[in-house]
């Protein structure tokens, strides 16, 4: 049996809220990809068949959020772009600093690329207003249009996280910093479909993401 990609192994090593059908699809897709000499990333999420027997894949829906400059950004901001999305909060003292160090390393490799963007959603709807996100982006050294930091209501952000990006987030007064969330870096293609999910605190998973980005970008150069 072919070895599954690193990010798939990590998915199964953690307690995620994914339905059995999604898990089965994940295994099948990963196996097909592993066997292909001309590697192509699988497409994740729910899927349906249209009346023409075409497969319709789950996509990131329309959204409207404020960025670090208090400007509205939406799904059109990422039209014709591959992007990496994550969920964090600026006062996080656990996984977020490592997540964003790793994400910044990727940014440094692609900061001159017109095809790749980054989107970080704050889950702290109480404190992380746009001006706070602005200071955070400046401190991280990524206050540029290529990396957008997004603020929205609890309802909007949490719905996007759990229903669309398949990332678990929650407000929890018993948690160390008041919130709990998964540290996934989610790779989205130009059709706004999920093409990979990687533990942003795991070196092997991040290394796999770095390998998968050019594979996905290459799909649009053929």
């Amino acid at each position: 049996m072919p070895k599954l990609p690193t990010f798939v192994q990590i998915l199964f090593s953690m307690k995620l809220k994914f339905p059995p059908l999604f898990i089965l699809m994940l295994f099948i897709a990963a196996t097909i990809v592993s066997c292909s000499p001309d590697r192509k990333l699988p497409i994740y999420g729910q899927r349906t068949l249209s009346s023409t027997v075409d497969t319709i894949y789950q996509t990131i829906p329309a959204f409207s959020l404020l960025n670090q400059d208090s400007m509205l950004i939406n799904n059109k901001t990422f039209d014709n772009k591959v992007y990496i999305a994550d969920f964090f909060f600026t006062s996080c003292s656990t996984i977020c600093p490592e997540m964003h160090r790793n994400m910044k390393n990727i940014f440094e490799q692609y900061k001159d690329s017109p095809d790749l963007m980054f989107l970080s959603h704050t889950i702290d709807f109480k404190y992380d207003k746009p001006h706070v996100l602005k200071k955070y982006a400046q401190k991280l050294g990524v206050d540029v249009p290529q990396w957008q930091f997004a603020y929205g209501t609890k309802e909007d952000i949490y719905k996007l996280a759990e229903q669309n990006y398949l990332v678990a987030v929650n407000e929890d007064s018993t948690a160390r910093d008041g919130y709990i969330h998964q540290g996934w870096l989610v790779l989205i293609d130009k059709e706004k479909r999920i093409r990979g999910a990687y533990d942003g605190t795991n070196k092997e998973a991040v290394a796999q993401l770095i390998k998968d980005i050019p594979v996905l970008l290459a799909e649009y150069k053929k």
Side-chain angles (χ1 to χ4, degrees):
M1 179 178 178
K3 183 179 179 181
L4 296 177
T6 301
F7 76 87
V8 177
Q9 297 178 45
I10 293 169
L11 279 173
F12 283 91
S13 70
M14 300 182 68
K15 296 179 180 179
L16 301 180
K17 299 178 180 179
F18 293 149
L21 179 59
F22 175 77
I23 299 298
L24 176 61
M25 290 163 53
L26 190 65
F27 261 125
I28 294 173
T31 302
I32 292 172
V33 170
S34 299
C35 294
S36 174
D38 185 17
R39 193 162 78 92
K40 189 174 181 179
L41 300 185
I43 301 171
Y44 297 107
Q46 297 179 359
R47 60 191 70 188
T48 58
L49 292 178
S50 70
S51 57
T52 59
V53 197
D54 291 328
T55 302
I56 301 174
Y57 295 95
Q58 175 181 336
T59 59
I60 304 303
F63 61 84
S64 182
L65 304 167
L66 289 176
N67 73 357
Q68 65 266 40
D69 295 310
S70 296
M71 301 292 292
L72 282 174
I73 58 173
N74 54 40
N75 51 312
K76 293 186 180 299
T77 305
F78 301 88
D79 277 355
N80 202 34
K81 304 290 184 182
V82 168
Y83 69 95
I84 302 170
D86 76 307
F87 293 82
F88 84 110
F89 56 106
T90 62
S91 60
C92 173
S93 63
T94 54
I95 65 175
C96 298
E98 186 172 3
M99 280 171 54
H100 277 174
R101 280 195 298 270
N102 289 330
M103 205 161 168
K104 185 181 179 182
N105 287 337
I106 299 172
F107 167 80
E108 292 295 339
Q109 296 179 45
Y110 286 93
K111 63 183 179 182
D112 296 320
S113 173
D115 298 313
L116 183 68
M117 291 184 68
F118 301 79
L119 175 58
S120 294
H121 310 74
T122 178
I123 64 171
D124 187 348
F125 53 94
K126 298 176 182 177
Y127 176 75
D128 283 348
K129 301 298 193 293
H131 72 276
V132 176
L133 295 178
K134 181 75 171 180
K135 291 180 180 179
Y136 181 89
Q138 290 173 336
K139 184 177 180 180
L140 191 60
V142 295
D143 184 23
V144 294
Q146 189 180 4
W147 193 332
Q148 296 288 314
F149 289 82
Y151 168 82
T153 65
K154 178 180 180 179
E155 180 181 3
D156 287 345
I157 295 293
Y158 286 36
K159 182 178 179 180
L160 272 173
E162 297 188 338
Q163 295 186 18
N164 304 120
Y165 289 98
L166 307 180
V167 176
V169 301
N170 196 21
E171 186 180 11
D172 187 345
S173 60
T174 66
R176 176 173 169 179
D177 297 315
Y179 297 89
I180 55 175
H181 65 102
Q182 292 173 315
W184 299 112
L185 306 182
V186 187
L187 184 61
I188 307 297
D189 68 16
K190 292 185 179 183
E191 286 71 49
K192 298 180 173 61
R193 303 171 300 188
I194 298 176
R195 302 302 293 273
Y198 313 79
D199 182 348
T201 66
N202 181 284
K203 291 182 179 179
E204 289 186 0
V206 174
Q208 186 62 54
L209 171 56
I210 292 171
K211 292 178 182 178
D212 286 349
I213 292 171
V215 173
L216 181 55
L217 291 174
E219 289 187 20
Y220 299 98
K221 296 180 180 179
K222 295 181 181 179

